[in-house]
Every structure is written in structure tokens, then in C-alpha cells.
Amino acid sequence: MQKKKLTGVVVPLGALYTKENQVIGEFPDLVPFASFCKEAGLGLIQLLPVNDTGTQSSPYSGLSAFALHPIYIRINAVPGFAALYKSDAKFKKTYDDFTASNKYAGRYDYDSILNTKNALLKMIYDTTPEGKTGEAGDSLSKWIKSNSWIKDYAVYKNLKWNYMQASWKSWHDDDKHKTPEEITKLWNKKAFKKEHLFYAWCQMIADEQFSTAVKTVHEMGLLLKGDMPILMNEDSCDAWAYPDVFNQDLRAGAPADGDNPTGQNWGFPTYNWKKLKEDNYSWWKNRLKTASNYYDAYRLDHILGFFRIWAIPQADCNALTGHTEPYASFKIDDLYELGFDDDRIRWLSRPHIPTRVVEDITWNREVAHNVLKVLCTRINEEELWLFNDNIKGSCDILNTDFGTLLDKQAADRVREALVKYWSDRTLLEVAKNKFIPLWTYGQSTSWGTLNEAEKEALTELFETLDKKNLKLWEKQADEIFTAITKSVKMIPCGEDLGVGIKCVPATMEKHSILGLRVIRWCREWSQSDQPFVPFEDYTPLSVATTSVHDSSTLRQWWEDEKESVKAFILANAQAFGIVGAEADAGPLFAPKKSELDAKATELAKATFTPELAQNILQAAATSASQWFIPPLEDFLYMDKTLWLPNAADERINIPGTVTAFNWTWRIPCAVEELAANKELIQKIKAISAR
């Protein structure tokens, strides 16, 4: 464990650019950036994930847990480039047009860069012995032997290319499911060997370029920290090649909360921890071992998911009928003992749709009956309906075709209404005779019909489950962390934002996993005035930061969230200069609360400045956290010449959106200009020394 207090910086690799390379940040760009960091007194560089994500720009939508992203390969440093550039006019023009059209102009064009780089790499590869003969040379053979995962990846990538990048779930049945033996057989098939070796060759080049940069960074005395997304895209090499590792019937997400009333469905498959445990977590160990080739520390994304993941049935579009994995449950006999009969249990556990829900849309009861018959069964002669057994989730409802019964607008309204009823229940039967409370059971129709005694009896039953769940979650995480964190020498860190489960901090501490403290969110949320946690009270086993890639930047926070800013100023009045020596002289001379409030209100309304950025960074650097690692963009706020006109344009990602804007941020000046910015370097150095 790194005991020394350390200040570092977080940056997406693609955001870096130099005067020599203005296309997209690449592995070799780490070297000049590390020189700047060293000069500024920073001891650690944290990179966002650099694994292959295919056509997805998000680094958290992994196509492979092992392969590096070829988009970060420096083309003109690939062996064979110079000779081909000199001899092949078409290659020269393609490369020259590529570099000329991607001169720095704000955010980069992910799709265009990826497609052109792949084409350029293929052109170089075709001039290599492997590209000419389809046989691996000594260097590539040796590299393949040391990286056993490459065969699965190369076969998958080639199949994906032949299927025009379509998801493997839409491939022919013969290609959807391959045993390890079948993948190896396909890897060795002569007709495809040249193509398979291309992907292996690209990975060898990426590994060599990254490893060379890492070696230089280490020689400068800096540490490198990687980022480990907890989940894999369902359309990934790993989900295809290692089906036992994943549960394809469930999707990960988050339960409903104030900001997300229907929860979040991330679309990624959950893990099959039972199978992973049987295999001694070898997939995770191999993943960490591969990362340890480059990093000294790593961040486990969404660490709560190792304790329990919010699992949503594949047939559901929203997350309301999800549940935790693992989970404690009760049986129907437990409900009998509480006095509930079969009819009442059905009332609690299955949605009951009144005819009026559809009738209010169609204005005709007979039409409403006919519409409901498409996917429901009527309960006797009542005006109540139950979903048919073939309806497995809200996606089935949204995909229901009502034919000529309804026009498009009415059909859409009916589907929307019925989707709401799908999660209108108190109990969820997760598996046969395994019941749990729905996360939002208190809002259900059936809960509202219970008397106080019934509610109290069920609440006690639910509380018993909560206690059992805590033990299950703690046991699972403890077993996983015992196995995987000790398998490598890297320092483990965990993204534990918003976690309110008691067993999480203690388990992380037991395994020496550093938590994450985003200063604007470190508050006592359960208290009425929600005070900020003093910096000196931060958990030492943690990483403090000012922003994260999914949040607004420091500047945007100051401009857009004035209530939070004012509360932060009041909590750190001395750092902002609104409490000075008079406060230290004793209570008689201390400013009144009303005066402090007025000063904080006035300052919060003020325009953000480099001086304010410096004050915040200096104050945050004094926290008790072991490491202080802000994002690069927040450091750059100490020099106004590096600001963009709009603060919103400086953020990396806007969660819940999929646009060309996300994940394509670039630093506002070349790395060489940063290295020459002595004033900024001195400001960062002063913060690093705190």
C-alpha cells in the first residue's frame, strides 16, 4: 500500500494532443504529458479505460476486457510505416489527408479516426511477413504465446467484421455459440489466419507502444493508475467467448431514486458469480494481471456491484422490477403464516389492470376489452385483468401489436399505461416460490389497500430480509476481494459514490481499497442541513477529487449549482477569505452567522475565476485522503486563457445520453504549451506540496 500522500491528475488518453500529433491522444503522448506532470510536482497519472470499445466511444462500454484500443496506436511509429509512406502514393495520401483533416478543432471525431486508423493499420500489415504469408513470425508468435486471450479476441473481431459490426447475438447460430475448442479450431483455420493475425499484430503494436511509454513514465518516478469498468458490453468478445462468466438473462442497472423514477437499465449483462467462484475467479484475475503490465494502481468502477448488483430481467426495459443479486427471499408459506390467502397473495404479487385504464384512452369499453385481451386475461366478470404468462416484462408490452384495434397514437398511450401497471405490485416473485418486496412497493396500489396491521407484518418480514441481504452482500464481496486484490501488486481503489450500505466501508478497509471522495458531494446527507464533511475528517483510505468524468466540471458546478456552492463556501469560509484573523481571535470577534451567510451568498453569485479555482483546489488538497487526484480540466481552470467560451463544452460525458459530444474532449492546448506554462506549473506545484 502506498503510504505517502500523493497528488495526481486524471485524464482520458484521447484528450491529449501534441504539436506533432493533433489527431487524438495516443500511447506515446503519455511521455511528454508525464514530463509536464513531473515538472508540476504531480506523482500519479490516472487514465480512463484504454481497452477496445469497438464502435462505441465510451471507454466504459468494453468490447474486450484485455485488448487495448487500436485507436491509440501511433501510426507513424509502427514498423513499416516509413517504407510504405515513401513507396505507396495511395497510403501517403490517405495518411496525409487524415492528419490534415484532424488538426486540433475542439472535440475529435471518434468514428472517422477509428475507421481511418484501422484502414492505415491494415495497409501497413499487408506489407509485413504475416500480411503476405498468413504465418506468424517469431516476434508475433512469442507475443501470442504470452497473451492467450488474443485468440478469442481475434476470432471475435474477424467475425464481427464479416457481420458488418452487428452484435454477436444477431449472428448465425453456428457463430453465436463457440466452445473454447471450436474457437481454437477457427483461429487455426488457414482461410482466416491472415485476418486473425492482423488483430493479434495490432494488439502487439499497441502493447509495445503502451509499454514503452509506461517504462518512461516510471523512469520519471511517476505512478500510473488504470480504470477497471466493472461491467462488459453484452456485445463484447468476453460475453461471446466466456458465456459462463455472465448471466445473459439479467441486465445491470440501478434502482429507482429521485433523479431516476424508473431506475437505470445499463444494458450490460450481470456476472455469474457462482460460476466465477467455482473457477477461482480466474477471468477477473487474468483481467487484473493484464492491467498490471501497465499500472501501479487501479480503480474498480461501481464497487457496490461486487457486493450486490441491481439485476433487471432481460425482458424489462426499465429497472423497476429489478432486484439485487444476490438476494434473500421468503416463501409463500411465510405469507400464509401472516394470514394472507392465495387471492390476497396474487393481489400483492401480480399487477391488476382495471378496464378503465384502457377505456379512458379508447372511450369505448368494448374496444378496451378487445385491446386488453391481446395481452391479458380478465378475472371472472370483474373489470380487472391480469397479464398473460407469456408477458415476461415491459419490453413485451412495448412490442405488442394491437393491429387495427387502435391507431398509432392510441396504441402508444395504451402501451405506456400498461408498462406502468407492470411494476404496480408489492411483491416480486423472482423465482418459483421466492418472493421479495418490489423496490417501490410503497407506491403500489396493493400496498395502499392493506390495513396497518398487515403493513406492519410485511414490514417486519422485509426488515428481516434486509439483515440477511447485508450478510449475503458482505460475504460475496469479501470472497471476491480476497481472491482478486491479492492476485496482483497493484493498489486497489473503488468508486463508492452514493453508497449507503453499512458493510461497504468496513469491507473496503479490510482489503485496503481506497474509496472515492468528490468534495462537492461529501456531505452528511441524513442531517437536516446536510453539512459538508470537513476535509480533515475524510477517510485516510480514500482518493479525494473535485470532479469526475460523469459530473460537471468545477467551473460548471460553480456556475449552475449555486445552493451547493454557497454551502461549500460556508463550510470552507477561511479558504475563501471570508473568515480571517478575527475568527481566530475568539468568539467575541468572530463574525455573526448572518454576516457569514451574506458574504457566502455574495461570493456564490460571483463569476468563477482562476483565483477561485485555485482556492478550491488548495483547500481540497489538505484533506485527510491518501491521494488527491483531480481531473486535468479542473487544474487548467487556474489559467483563464485555457477556458472554452462555454463551461458545458469542457465536460467529458453527460450520463444518459449517447452523442458524438461524449468522450471526445481534448485539452485546449498542446502538451508542449502546458509544459511551457510556468505560471500554471507553479500553481499546481504549490497544490501538490500541500
Side-chain angles (χ1 to χ4, degrees), residues 67-107:
L68 296 172
H69 206 315
I71 202 170
Y72 301 127
I73 291 175
R74 175 71 52 83
I75 297 291
N76 63 13
V78 176
F81 169 85
L84 188 61
Y85 185 81
K86 186 176 180 180
S87 64
D88 190 319
K90 180 183 178 184
F91 177 82
K92 182 179 185 300
K93 185 178 187 311
T94 303
Y95 179 79
D96 288 346
D97 289 348
F98 172 61
T99 53
S101 63
N102 283 284
K103 294 290 186 185
Y104 178 75
R107 304 182 97 85

mmCIF file of all heavy atoms in Angstrom, residues 67-107:
data_model
loop_
_atom_site.group_PDB
_atom_site.id
_atom_site.type_symbol
_atom_site.label_atom_id
_atom_site.label_comp_id
_atom_site.label_asym_id
_atom_site.label_seq_id
_atom_site.Cartn_x
_atom_site.Cartn_y
_atom_site.Cartn_z
ATOM 1 N N ALA A 67 -7.988 -6.529 -24.487
ATOM 2 C CA ALA A 67 -7.368 -5.876 -25.642
ATOM 3 C C ALA A 67 -7.314 -4.366 -25.467
ATOM 4 O O ALA A 67 -8.252 -3.744 -24.968
ATOM 5 C CB ALA A 67 -8.141 -6.223 -26.911
ATOM 6 N N LEU A 68 -6.211 -3.769 -25.898
ATOM 7 C CA LEU A 68 -6.070 -2.318 -25.911
ATOM 8 C C LEU A 68 -6.796 -1.755 -27.137
ATOM 9 O O LEU A 68 -7.016 -2.453 -28.128
ATOM 10 C CB LEU A 68 -4.592 -1.929 -25.960
ATOM 11 C CG LEU A 68 -3.754 -2.331 -24.744
ATOM 12 C CD1 LEU A 68 -2.278 -2.063 -25.000
ATOM 13 C CD2 LEU A 68 -4.221 -1.586 -23.493
ATOM 14 N N HIS A 69 -7.136 -0.476 -27.045
ATOM 15 C CA HIS A 69 -7.866 0.135 -28.158
ATOM 16 C C HIS A 69 -6.887 0.538 -29.258
ATOM 17 O O HIS A 69 -5.981 1.335 -29.026
ATOM 18 C CB HIS A 69 -8.625 1.375 -27.681
ATOM 19 C CG HIS A 69 -9.828 1.676 -28.515
ATOM 20 N ND1 HIS A 69 -9.801 1.650 -29.899
ATOM 21 C CD2 HIS A 69 -11.110 2.019 -28.182
ATOM 22 C CE1 HIS A 69 -10.994 1.952 -30.372
ATOM 23 N NE2 HIS A 69 -11.802 2.173 -29.354
ATOM 24 N N PRO A 70 -7.069 0.011 -30.478
ATOM 25 C CA PRO A 70 -6.150 0.369 -31.573
ATOM 26 C C PRO A 70 -6.208 1.835 -31.964
ATOM 27 O O PRO A 70 -5.306 2.325 -32.652
ATOM 28 C CB PRO A 70 -6.601 -0.544 -32.723
ATOM 29 C CG PRO A 70 -7.987 -0.967 -32.379
ATOM 30 C CD PRO A 70 -8.071 -0.990 -30.884
ATOM 31 N N ILE A 71 -7.243 2.548 -31.515
ATOM 32 C CA ILE A 71 -7.353 3.970 -31.864
ATOM 33 C C ILE A 71 -6.216 4.782 -31.246
ATOM 34 O O ILE A 71 -5.892 5.882 -31.707
ATOM 35 C CB ILE A 71 -8.734 4.534 -31.427
ATOM 36 C CG1 ILE A 71 -9.081 5.794 -32.234
ATOM 37 C CG2 ILE A 71 -8.770 4.832 -29.928
ATOM 38 C CD1 ILE A 71 -10.508 6.275 -32.057
ATOM 39 N N TYR A 72 -5.571 4.232 -30.190
ATOM 40 C CA TYR A 72 -4.488 4.952 -29.519
ATOM 41 C C TYR A 72 -3.100 4.591 -30.072
ATOM 42 O O TYR A 72 -2.087 5.033 -29.523
ATOM 43 C CB TYR A 72 -4.527 4.680 -28.015
ATOM 44 C CG TYR A 72 -5.825 5.075 -27.354
ATOM 45 C CD1 TYR A 72 -6.541 4.169 -26.571
ATOM 46 C CD2 TYR A 72 -6.348 6.348 -27.520
ATOM 47 C CE1 TYR A 72 -7.737 4.523 -25.969
ATOM 48 C CE2 TYR A 72 -7.553 6.716 -26.930
ATOM 49 C CZ TYR A 72 -8.237 5.796 -26.152
ATOM 50 O OH TYR A 72 -9.423 6.156 -25.559
ATOM 51 N N ILE A 73 -3.043 3.804 -31.143
ATOM 52 C CA ILE A 73 -1.755 3.449 -31.754
ATOM 53 C C ILE A 73 -1.226 4.648 -32.550
ATOM 54 O O ILE A 73 -1.975 5.284 -33.307
ATOM 55 C CB ILE A 73 -1.906 2.225 -32.684
ATOM 56 C CG1 ILE A 73 -2.209 0.955 -31.865
ATOM 57 C CG2 ILE A 73 -0.655 2.018 -33.529
ATOM 58 C CD1 ILE A 73 -2.495 -0.270 -32.714
ATOM 59 N N ARG A 74 0.047 4.960 -32.390
ATOM 60 C CA ARG A 74 0.710 5.998 -33.190
ATOM 61 C C ARG A 74 1.091 5.382 -34.537
ATOM 62 O O ARG A 74 2.014 4.568 -34.621
ATOM 63 C CB ARG A 74 1.936 6.513 -32.444
ATOM 64 C CG ARG A 74 2.804 7.528 -33.194
ATOM 65 C CD ARG A 74 2.154 8.895 -33.337
ATOM 66 N NE ARG A 74 1.671 9.442 -32.090
ATOM 67 C CZ ARG A 74 2.417 10.106 -31.188
ATOM 68 N NH1 ARG A 74 3.716 10.278 -31.414
ATOM 69 N NH2 ARG A 74 1.873 10.598 -30.099
ATOM 70 N N ILE A 75 0.384 5.775 -35.577
ATOM 71 C CA ILE A 75 0.563 5.154 -36.896
ATOM 72 C C ILE A 75 1.980 5.340 -37.424
ATOM 73 O O ILE A 75 2.601 4.382 -37.921
ATOM 74 C CB ILE A 75 -0.456 5.724 -37.911
ATOM 75 C CG1 ILE A 75 -1.896 5.378 -37.471
ATOM 76 C CG2 ILE A 75 -0.187 5.180 -39.311
ATOM 77 C CD1 ILE A 75 -2.264 3.926 -37.558
ATOM 78 N N ASN A 76 2.523 6.550 -37.319
ATOM 79 C CA ASN A 76 3.843 6.769 -37.916
ATOM 80 C C ASN A 76 4.981 6.167 -37.107
ATOM 81 O O ASN A 76 6.145 6.269 -37.493
ATOM 82 C CB ASN A 76 4.095 8.260 -38.182
ATOM 83 C CG ASN A 76 4.124 9.094 -36.915
ATOM 84 O OD1 ASN A 76 4.202 8.570 -35.802
ATOM 85 N ND2 ASN A 76 4.059 10.409 -37.080
ATOM 86 N N ALA A 77 4.645 5.522 -35.965
ATOM 87 C CA ALA A 77 5.666 4.814 -35.182
ATOM 88 C C ALA A 77 5.584 3.303 -35.385
ATOM 89 O O ALA A 77 6.358 2.553 -34.790
ATOM 90 C CB ALA A 77 5.519 5.152 -33.699
ATOM 91 N N VAL A 78 4.657 2.853 -36.216
ATOM 92 C CA VAL A 78 4.510 1.415 -36.483
ATOM 93 C C VAL A 78 5.622 0.968 -37.436
ATOM 94 O O VAL A 78 5.841 1.615 -38.474
ATOM 95 C CB VAL A 78 3.124 1.113 -37.101
ATOM 96 C CG1 VAL A 78 3.012 -0.365 -37.457
ATOM 97 C CG2 VAL A 78 2.008 1.510 -36.137
ATOM 98 N N PRO A 79 6.324 -0.112 -37.112
ATOM 99 C CA PRO A 79 7.360 -0.613 -38.034
ATOM 100 C C PRO A 79 6.780 -0.859 -39.422
ATOM 101 O O PRO A 79 5.719 -1.473 -39.563
ATOM 102 C CB PRO A 79 7.806 -1.923 -37.383
ATOM 103 C CG PRO A 79 7.510 -1.736 -35.930
ATOM 104 C CD PRO A 79 6.258 -0.908 -35.874
ATOM 105 N N GLY A 80 7.453 -0.345 -40.430
ATOM 106 C CA GLY A 80 6.971 -0.489 -41.798
ATOM 107 C C GLY A 80 6.287 0.750 -42.325
ATOM 108 O O GLY A 80 6.048 0.880 -43.537
ATOM 109 N N PHE A 81 5.963 1.709 -41.432
ATOM 110 C CA PHE A 81 5.272 2.927 -41.871
ATOM 111 C C PHE A 81 6.132 3.719 -42.846
ATOM 112 O O PHE A 81 5.678 4.113 -43.929
ATOM 113 C CB PHE A 81 4.905 3.801 -40.672
ATOM 114 C CG PHE A 81 4.444 5.185 -41.066
ATOM 115 C CD1 PHE A 81 3.129 5.417 -41.405
ATOM 116 C CD2 PHE A 81 5.339 6.255 -41.127
ATOM 117 C CE1 PHE A 81 2.700 6.681 -41.803
ATOM 118 C CE2 PHE A 81 4.931 7.521 -41.517
ATOM 119 C CZ PHE A 81 3.604 7.731 -41.853
ATOM 120 N N ALA A 82 7.379 4.007 -42.459
ATOM 121 C CA ALA A 82 8.233 4.896 -43.254
ATOM 122 C C ALA A 82 8.420 4.372 -44.667
ATOM 123 O O ALA A 82 8.322 5.127 -45.655
ATOM 124 C CB ALA A 82 9.585 5.073 -42.558
ATOM 125 N N ALA A 83 8.679 3.072 -44.788
ATOM 126 C CA ALA A 83 8.904 2.488 -46.108
ATOM 127 C C ALA A 83 7.652 2.579 -46.974
ATOM 128 O O ALA A 83 7.723 2.908 -48.167
ATOM 129 C CB ALA A 83 9.348 1.033 -45.965
ATOM 130 N N LEU A 84 6.485 2.298 -46.381
ATOM 131 C CA LEU A 84 5.238 2.334 -47.143
ATOM 132 C C LEU A 84 4.875 3.771 -47.517
ATOM 133 O O LEU A 84 4.392 4.035 -48.625
ATOM 134 C CB LEU A 84 4.110 1.686 -46.330
ATOM 135 C CG LEU A 84 2.783 1.473 -47.065
ATOM 136 C CD1 LEU A 84 2.981 0.549 -48.273
ATOM 137 C CD2 LEU A 84 1.730 0.893 -46.125
ATOM 138 N N TYR A 85 5.109 4.702 -46.606
ATOM 139 C CA TYR A 85 4.815 6.115 -46.855
ATOM 140 C C TYR A 85 5.637 6.626 -48.038
ATOM 141 O O TYR A 85 5.175 7.441 -48.848
ATOM 142 C CB TYR A 85 5.126 6.933 -45.603
ATOM 143 C CG TYR A 85 4.752 8.396 -45.684
ATOM 144 C CD1 TYR A 85 3.442 8.808 -45.460
ATOM 145 C CD2 TYR A 85 5.708 9.362 -45.986
ATOM 146 C CE1 TYR A 85 3.091 10.154 -45.535
ATOM 147 C CE2 TYR A 85 5.378 10.708 -46.049
ATOM 148 C CZ TYR A 85 4.071 11.095 -45.828
ATOM 149 O OH TYR A 85 3.728 12.429 -45.905
ATOM 150 N N LYS A 86 6.848 6.115 -48.148
ATOM 151 C CA LYS A 86 7.755 6.546 -49.216
ATOM 152 C C LYS A 86 7.414 5.891 -50.551
ATOM 153 O O LYS A 86 7.541 6.514 -51.618
ATOM 154 C CB LYS A 86 9.196 6.210 -48.822
ATOM 155 C CG LYS A 86 10.252 6.736 -49.775
ATOM 156 C CD LYS A 86 11.643 6.425 -49.246
ATOM 157 C CE LYS A 86 12.709 6.944 -50.211
ATOM 158 N NZ LYS A 86 14.090 6.652 -49.714
ATOM 159 N N SER A 87 6.934 4.634 -50.503
ATOM 160 C CA SER A 87 6.765 3.866 -51.743
ATOM 161 C C SER A 87 5.339 3.823 -52.285
ATOM 162 O O SER A 87 5.134 3.540 -53.466
ATOM 163 C CB SER A 87 7.238 2.425 -51.529
ATOM 164 O OG SER A 87 6.410 1.772 -50.557
ATOM 165 N N ASP A 88 4.352 4.094 -51.438
ATOM 166 C CA ASP A 88 2.951 3.914 -51.840
ATOM 167 C C ASP A 88 2.223 5.264 -51.821
ATOM 168 O O ASP A 88 1.927 5.803 -50.757
ATOM 169 C CB ASP A 88 2.267 2.916 -50.907
ATOM 170 C CG ASP A 88 0.893 2.487 -51.397
ATOM 171 O OD1 ASP A 88 0.142 3.342 -51.894
ATOM 172 O OD2 ASP A 88 0.576 1.297 -51.270
ATOM 173 N N ALA A 89 1.918 5.790 -52.998
ATOM 174 C CA ALA A 89 1.287 7.109 -53.097
ATOM 175 C C ALA A 89 -0.108 7.119 -52.459
ATOM 176 O O ALA A 89 -0.512 8.105 -51.838
ATOM 177 C CB ALA A 89 1.200 7.520 -54.564
ATOM 178 N N LYS A 90 -0.851 6.019 -52.620
ATOM 179 C CA LYS A 90 -2.203 5.958 -52.044
ATOM 180 C C LYS A 90 -2.135 6.007 -50.517
ATOM 181 O O LYS A 90 -2.912 6.720 -49.870
ATOM 182 C CB LYS A 90 -2.901 4.676 -52.502
ATOM 183 C CG LYS A 90 -4.307 4.533 -51.951
ATOM 184 C CD LYS A 90 -4.950 3.207 -52.379
ATOM 185 C CE LYS A 90 -6.334 3.070 -51.759
ATOM 186 N NZ LYS A 90 -6.943 1.749 -52.090
ATOM 187 N N PHE A 91 -1.217 5.230 -49.939
ATOM 188 C CA PHE A 91 -1.062 5.234 -48.486
ATOM 189 C C PHE A 91 -0.645 6.620 -48.002
ATOM 190 O O PHE A 91 -1.181 7.137 -47.015
ATOM 191 C CB PHE A 91 -0.016 4.194 -48.069
ATOM 192 C CG PHE A 91 0.259 4.169 -46.590
ATOM 193 C CD1 PHE A 91 -0.567 3.476 -45.723
ATOM 194 C CD2 PHE A 91 1.339 4.871 -46.054
ATOM 195 C CE1 PHE A 91 -0.321 3.463 -44.358
ATOM 196 C CE2 PHE A 91 1.589 4.873 -44.690
ATOM 197 C CZ PHE A 91 0.759 4.163 -43.843
ATOM 198 N N LYS A 92 0.317 7.231 -48.706
ATOM 199 C CA LYS A 92 0.799 8.561 -48.330
ATOM 200 C C LYS A 92 -0.341 9.573 -48.338
ATOM 201 O O LYS A 92 -0.499 10.363 -47.403
ATOM 202 C CB LYS A 92 1.901 9.016 -49.284
ATOM 203 C CG LYS A 92 2.507 10.384 -48.956
ATOM 204 C CD LYS A 92 3.596 10.738 -49.946
ATOM 205 C CE LYS A 92 4.287 12.031 -49.544
ATOM 206 N NZ LYS A 92 3.374 13.196 -49.474
ATOM 207 N N LYS A 93 -1.159 9.552 -49.379
ATOM 208 C CA LYS A 93 -2.273 10.493 -49.475
ATOM 209 C C LYS A 93 -3.298 10.248 -48.366
ATOM 210 O O LYS A 93 -3.804 11.193 -47.748
ATOM 211 C CB LYS A 93 -2.951 10.380 -50.842
ATOM 212 C CG LYS A 93 -4.052 11.430 -51.060
ATOM 213 C CD LYS A 93 -4.662 11.333 -52.438
ATOM 214 C CE LYS A 93 -5.624 12.491 -52.711
ATOM 215 N NZ LYS A 93 -6.607 12.745 -51.656
ATOM 216 N N THR A 94 -3.616 8.968 -48.114
ATOM 217 C CA THR A 94 -4.580 8.639 -47.051
ATOM 218 C C THR A 94 -4.092 9.157 -45.703
ATOM 219 O O THR A 94 -4.851 9.769 -44.942
ATOM 220 C CB THR A 94 -4.802 7.115 -46.967
ATOM 221 O OG1 THR A 94 -5.236 6.638 -48.230
ATOM 222 C CG2 THR A 94 -5.847 6.773 -45.912
ATOM 223 N N TYR A 95 -2.805 8.925 -45.428
ATOM 224 C CA TYR A 95 -2.243 9.361 -44.145
ATOM 225 C C TYR A 95 -2.174 10.888 -44.064
ATOM 226 O O TYR A 95 -2.549 11.472 -43.043
ATOM 227 C CB TYR A 95 -0.846 8.766 -43.941
ATOM 228 C CG TYR A 95 -0.208 9.200 -42.639
ATOM 229 C CD1 TYR A 95 -0.578 8.602 -41.436
ATOM 230 C CD2 TYR A 95 0.738 10.228 -42.611
ATOM 231 C CE1 TYR A 95 -0.017 9.010 -40.229
ATOM 232 C CE2 TYR A 95 1.307 10.641 -41.416
ATOM 233 C CZ TYR A 95 0.924 10.031 -40.224
ATOM 234 O OH TYR A 95 1.475 10.438 -39.041
ATOM 235 N N ASP A 96 -1.727 11.536 -45.117
ATOM 236 C CA ASP A 96 -1.607 12.998 -45.112
ATOM 237 C C ASP A 96 -2.978 13.658 -44.981
ATOM 238 O O ASP A 96 -3.142 14.630 -44.232
ATOM 239 C CB ASP A 96 -0.914 13.485 -46.388
ATOM 240 C CG ASP A 96 0.572 13.164 -46.401
ATOM 241 O OD1 ASP A 96 1.112 12.819 -45.326
ATOM 242 O OD2 ASP A 96 1.192 13.252 -47.486
ATOM 243 N N ASP A 97 -3.963 13.140 -45.712
ATOM 244 C CA ASP A 97 -5.328 13.692 -45.613
ATOM 245 C C ASP A 97 -5.880 13.491 -44.207
ATOM 246 O O ASP A 97 -6.573 14.364 -43.659
ATOM 247 C CB ASP A 97 -6.256 13.022 -46.629
ATOM 248 C CG ASP A 97 -5.953 13.432 -48.061
ATOM 249 O OD1 ASP A 97 -5.180 14.393 -48.244
ATOM 250 O OD2 ASP A 97 -6.479 12.778 -48.991
ATOM 251 N N PHE A 98 -5.580 12.340 -43.633
ATOM 252 C CA PHE A 98 -6.044 12.001 -42.279
ATOM 253 C C PHE A 98 -5.506 12.985 -41.249
ATOM 254 O O PHE A 98 -6.255 13.538 -40.443
ATOM 255 C CB PHE A 98 -5.601 10.577 -41.956
ATOM 256 C CG PHE A 98 -5.824 10.143 -40.535
ATOM 257 C CD1 PHE A 98 -7.093 10.102 -39.996
ATOM 258 C CD2 PHE A 98 -4.750 9.760 -39.748
ATOM 259 C CE1 PHE A 98 -7.303 9.685 -38.681
ATOM 260 C CE2 PHE A 98 -4.938 9.344 -38.442
ATOM 261 C CZ PHE A 98 -6.218 9.308 -37.910
ATOM 262 N N THR A 99 -4.200 13.217 -41.268
ATOM 263 C CA THR A 99 -3.603 14.122 -40.279
ATOM 264 C C THR A 99 -4.011 15.572 -40.533
ATOM 265 O O THR A 99 -4.232 16.332 -39.591
ATOM 266 C CB THR A 99 -2.071 14.002 -40.292
ATOM 267 O OG1 THR A 99 -1.584 14.184 -41.635
ATOM 268 C CG2 THR A 99 -1.629 12.643 -39.794
ATOM 269 N N ALA A 100 -4.164 15.947 -41.813
ATOM 270 C CA ALA A 100 -4.544 17.326 -42.138
ATOM 271 C C ALA A 100 -5.983 17.625 -41.731
ATOM 272 O O ALA A 100 -6.297 18.717 -41.252
ATOM 273 C CB ALA A 100 -4.371 17.573 -43.641
ATOM 274 N N SER A 101 -6.867 16.638 -41.906
ATOM 275 C CA SER A 101 -8.291 16.865 -41.607
ATOM 276 C C SER A 101 -8.613 16.766 -40.124
ATOM 277 O O SER A 101 -9.726 17.085 -39.708
ATOM 278 C CB SER A 101 -9.157 15.869 -42.381
ATOM 279 O OG SER A 101 -8.877 14.539 -41.961
ATOM 280 N N ASN A 102 -7.648 16.322 -39.326
ATOM 281 C CA ASN A 102 -7.894 16.191 -37.888
ATOM 282 C C ASN A 102 -7.026 17.136 -37.063
ATOM 283 O O ASN A 102 -6.714 16.855 -35.906
ATOM 284 C CB ASN A 102 -7.651 14.748 -37.444
ATOM 285 C CG ASN A 102 -8.796 13.837 -37.837
ATOM 286 O OD1 ASN A 102 -9.856 13.845 -37.231
ATOM 287 N ND2 ASN A 102 -8.590 13.069 -38.892
ATOM 288 N N LYS A 103 -6.657 18.260 -37.658
ATOM 289 C CA LYS A 103 -5.956 19.282 -36.885
ATOM 290 C C LYS A 103 -6.852 19.717 -35.732
ATOM 291 O O LYS A 103 -8.079 19.692 -35.839
ATOM 292 C CB LYS A 103 -5.630 20.499 -37.766
ATOM 293 C CG LYS A 103 -4.622 20.220 -38.883
ATOM 294 C CD LYS A 103 -3.232 19.982 -38.340
ATOM 295 C CE LYS A 103 -2.224 19.865 -39.484
ATOM 296 N NZ LYS A 103 -0.884 19.517 -38.994
ATOM 297 N N TYR A 104 -6.223 20.173 -34.647
ATOM 298 C CA TYR A 104 -6.999 20.478 -33.446
ATOM 299 C C TYR A 104 -8.133 21.463 -33.741
ATOM 300 O O TYR A 104 -7.912 22.542 -34.282
ATOM 301 C CB TYR A 104 -6.095 21.058 -32.357
ATOM 302 C CG TYR A 104 -6.893 21.424 -31.125
ATOM 303 C CD1 TYR A 104 -7.350 20.437 -30.265
ATOM 304 C CD2 TYR A 104 -7.231 22.740 -30.852
ATOM 305 C CE1 TYR A 104 -8.101 20.751 -29.149
ATOM 306 C CE2 TYR A 104 -7.982 23.065 -29.740
ATOM 307 C CZ TYR A 104 -8.417 22.074 -28.890
ATOM 308 O OH TYR A 104 -9.175 22.391 -27.793
ATOM 309 N N ALA A 105 -9.331 21.070 -33.393
ATOM 310 C CA ALA A 105 -10.501 21.942 -33.527
ATOM 311 C C ALA A 105 -11.548 21.490 -32.524
ATOM 312 O O ALA A 105 -12.632 21.038 -32.878
ATOM 313 C CB ALA A 105 -11.047 21.885 -34.942
ATOM 314 N N GLY A 106 -11.216 21.576 -31.249
ATOM 315 C CA GLY A 106 -12.157 21.152 -30.215
ATOM 316 C C GLY A 106 -12.214 19.649 -30.097
ATOM 317 O O GLY A 106 -11.187 18.980 -30.094
ATOM 318 N N ARG A 107 -13.396 19.093 -30.035
ATOM 319 C CA ARG A 107 -13.555 17.660 -29.824
ATOM 320 C C ARG A 107 -13.161 16.883 -31.081
ATOM 321 O O ARG A 107 -13.243 17.396 -32.197
ATOM 322 C CB ARG A 107 -14.993 17.353 -29.402
ATOM 323 C CG ARG A 107 -15.404 18.140 -28.163
ATOM 324 C CD ARG A 107 -16.811 17.813 -27.716
ATOM 325 N NE ARG A 107 -16.821 16.829 -26.651
ATOM 326 C CZ ARG A 107 -16.687 17.120 -25.359
ATOM 327 N NH1 ARG A 107 -16.499 18.352 -24.976
ATOM 328 N NH2 ARG A 107 -16.726 16.165 -24.453
#
